């Protein structure tokens, strides 16, 4: 069972060395910030066709090698027809710069339109015990079309490790301070959801983070969790989640508490929520 790791743990230098061992996937905005700056390309125009082409040809090759295995559009630009953007991404495949293409935070209708232009290999969208939005429409659409699902932030941005119990534990500059779910009042309510997760972890002799990942893995072989960490000891522990078998009773206990919609606060600030599932 594969477990993907985000760019945050892997320096660009390391990428050149491991490229032959691991598959590389990239989204445009996070990784390419320095490149967009060098080229003077607006980061606000991530999905514009020209940006996609310019960044791939000028930016990626010198950094990690000539080919990206899986290249995601991050995010769908409402001002550019998805057919146009996917058409440009398909040309990158034809040119041998990219092997497969994916979308991030695309809605069901967009996925269908995109897939009609060129096969979409994966959708990368948030999914975890406390973020179940995908179950309603996006995940079923992926399954219908045979598209894999990359579950980003499967640890609830650290919340599901049980280590963040009050807003005070976030240091200044931590991006989660701007996330409604981590605001004091919401966080206090969300912490109450952790009990069954921690009980299950204790009963199985593992960590809540491992159970959170095992839960994502248990949702289907077509779902690949993408946990992030800056710490090797977390990475080593998290990888062990692939060996954890959650039984029906364990899953039921977790599902009864983390009922879709039970999390207090939206997963992104209001101004960003409009860009999700477009
Ligand atoms: N496509 C998109 O729009 C999008 C958006 C966001 C993220 N992503 C991708 O998804 C990946 C994961 O997202 P994410 O990092 O925001 O959220 P996440 O994986 O849900 O959570 C990461 C957080 O959990 C902590 N953590 C990890 N393992 C832990 C452990 N064993 N015990 C305690 N704490 C642990 C990390 O802290 P430490 O660093 O201290 O371990 C970090 O703060 C990113 O690397 C990125 O590639 C994609």
């Amino acid at each position: 069972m594969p477990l993907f790791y985000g760019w945050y743990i892997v320096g660009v230098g390391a990428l050149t060395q491991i490229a032959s061992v691991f598959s590389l996937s990239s989204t445009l905005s996070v990784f390419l910030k320095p490149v967009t700056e060098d080229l003077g390309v607006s980061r606000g125009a991530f999905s514009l066709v020209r940006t996609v082409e310019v960044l791939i040809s000028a930016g990626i090759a010198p950094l990690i090698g000539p080919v990206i295995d899986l290249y995601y559009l991050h995010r769908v630009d409402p001002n550019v027809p998805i057919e146009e953007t996917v058409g440009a991404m398909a040309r990158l495949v034809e040119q041998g710069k990219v092997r497969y293409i994916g979308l991030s935070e695309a809605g069901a209708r967009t996925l269908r339109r995109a897939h009609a232009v060129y096969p979409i290999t994966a959708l990368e969208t948030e999914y975890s015990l406390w973020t179940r939005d995908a179950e309603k429409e996006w995940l079923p659409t992926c399954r219908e079309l045979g598209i894999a699902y990359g579950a980003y932030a499967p640890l609830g941005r650290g919340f599901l490790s049980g280590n963040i119990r009050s807003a005070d534990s976030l240091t200044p500059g931590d991006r989660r301070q701007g996330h409604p779910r981590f605001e004091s009042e919401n966080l206090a309510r969300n912490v109450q959801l952790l009990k069954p997760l921690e009980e299950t972890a204790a009963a199985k002799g593992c960590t809540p983070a491992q159970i959170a990942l095992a839960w994502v893995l248990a949702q289907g072989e077509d779902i690949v969790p993408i946990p992030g960490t800056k710490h090797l000891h977390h990475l080593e522990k998290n990888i062990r989640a692939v060996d954890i078998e959650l039984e029906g009773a364990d899953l039921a206990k977790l599902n009864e508490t983390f009922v879709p919609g039970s999390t207090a606060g939206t997963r992104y600030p209001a101004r960003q929520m409009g860009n999700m599932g477009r």
Side-chain angles (χ1 to χ4, degrees), residues 174-237:
D174 189 315
R175 288 170 68 185
R176 292 170 292 192
Q177 286 179 320
H179 285 228
R181 291 179 173 185
F182 289 91
E183 286 168 10
S184 287
E185 214 171 290
N186 288 336
L187 192 54
R189 283 174 54 197
N190 291 331
V191 164
Q192 292 171 25
L193 299 170
L194 290 173
K195 198 165 168 239
L197 179 63
E198 292 173 331
E199 285 173 356
T200 308
K204 296 211 167 265
C206 51
T207 67
Q210 288 172 322
I211 296 293
L213 293 173
W215 179 88
V216 175
L217 289 166
Q219 304 313 303
E221 297 222 335
D222 53 345
I223 303 180
V224 181
I226 315 173
T229 181
K230 294 178 182 138
H231 295 103
L232 189 58
H233 63 281
H234 284 166
L235 172 66
E236 286 166 349
K237 277 191 176 163

Side-chain angles (χ1 to χ4, degrees), residues 74-75 104 124 152-153 155 157 226 228-231 234 238:
H74 170 292
R75 304 263 193 263
S104 179
E124 182 178 312
Y152 81 70
L155 296 169
R157 299 171 197 272
I226 315 173
T229 181
K230 294 178 182 138
H231 295 103
H234 284 166
N238 294 350

Side-chain angles (χ1 to χ4, degrees), residues 18-227:
I18 64 172
S20 59
V21 183
F22 294 101
S23 291
L24 293 174
S25 73
S26 176
T27 51
L28 207 58
S29 65
V30 175
F31 176 56
L32 290 172
K33 186 176 177 211
V35 180
T36 54
E37 284 170 357
D38 283 355
L39 293 170
V41 179
S42 158
R43 287 189 79 215
F46 301 143
S47 65
L48 288 174
V49 173
R50 184 177 162 278
T51 311
V52 172
E53 290 180 331
V54 168
L55 288 177
I56 283 280
S57 57
I60 293 283
L63 291 175
I64 58 170
V67 186
I68 293 175
D69 293 308
L70 176 55
Y71 184 61
Y72 288 102
L73 173 70
H74 170 292
R75 304 263 193 263
V76 175
D77 187 330
N79 300 314
V80 180
I82 192 68
E83 288 81 1
E84 207 178 309
T85 310
V86 169
M89 293 172 86
R91 284 199 294 282
L92 298 171
V93 179
E94 285 155 18
Q95 291 163 11
K97 293 170 183 161
V98 166
R99 289 202 173 93
Y100 303 100
I101 62 172
L103 306 179
S104 179
E105 291 283 358
R109 194 164 159 266
T110 303
L111 263 178
R112 287 182 193 285
R113 284 172 54 193
H115 197 63
V117 173
Y118 192 86
I120 301 298
T121 296
L123 172 71
E124 182 178 312
T125 292
E126 188 169 353
Y127 188 50
S128 67
L129 270 168
W130 80 340
T131 302
R132 311 277 293 270
D133 316 36
E135 290 174 2
K136 208 170 159 196
E137 215 183 351
W138 309 332
L139 202 41
T141 304
C142 282
R143 286 182 166 153
E144 183 196 322
L145 300 176
I147 296 171
Y149 189 97
Y152 81 70
L155 296 169
R157 299 171 197 272
F159 171 76
L160 297 170
S161 72
N163 286 356
I164 303 167
R165 306 192 90 90
S166 90
D168 298 339
S169 31
L170 302 177
T171 50
D174 189 315
R175 288 170 68 185
R176 292 170 292 192
Q177 286 179 320
H179 285 228
R181 291 179 173 185
F182 289 91
E183 286 168 10
S184 287
E185 214 171 290
N186 288 336
L187 192 54
R189 283 174 54 197
N190 291 331
V191 164
Q192 292 171 25
L193 299 170
L194 290 173
K195 198 165 168 239
L197 179 63
E198 292 173 331
E199 285 173 356
T200 308
K204 296 211 167 265
C206 51
T207 67
Q210 288 172 322
I211 296 293
L213 293 173
W215 179 88
V216 175
L217 289 166
Q219 304 313 303
E221 297 222 335
D222 53 345
I223 303 180
V224 181
I226 315 173

Side-chain angles (χ1 to χ4, degrees), residues 3 6 12 27 43 100 115 153 181 189 242 253 259 261 263 276:
L3 207 66
V12 166
T27 51
R43 287 189 79 215
Y100 303 100
H115 197 63
R181 291 179 173 185
R189 283 174 54 197
V242 297
K253 180 172 172 165
V259 176
T263 313
M276 306 300 154

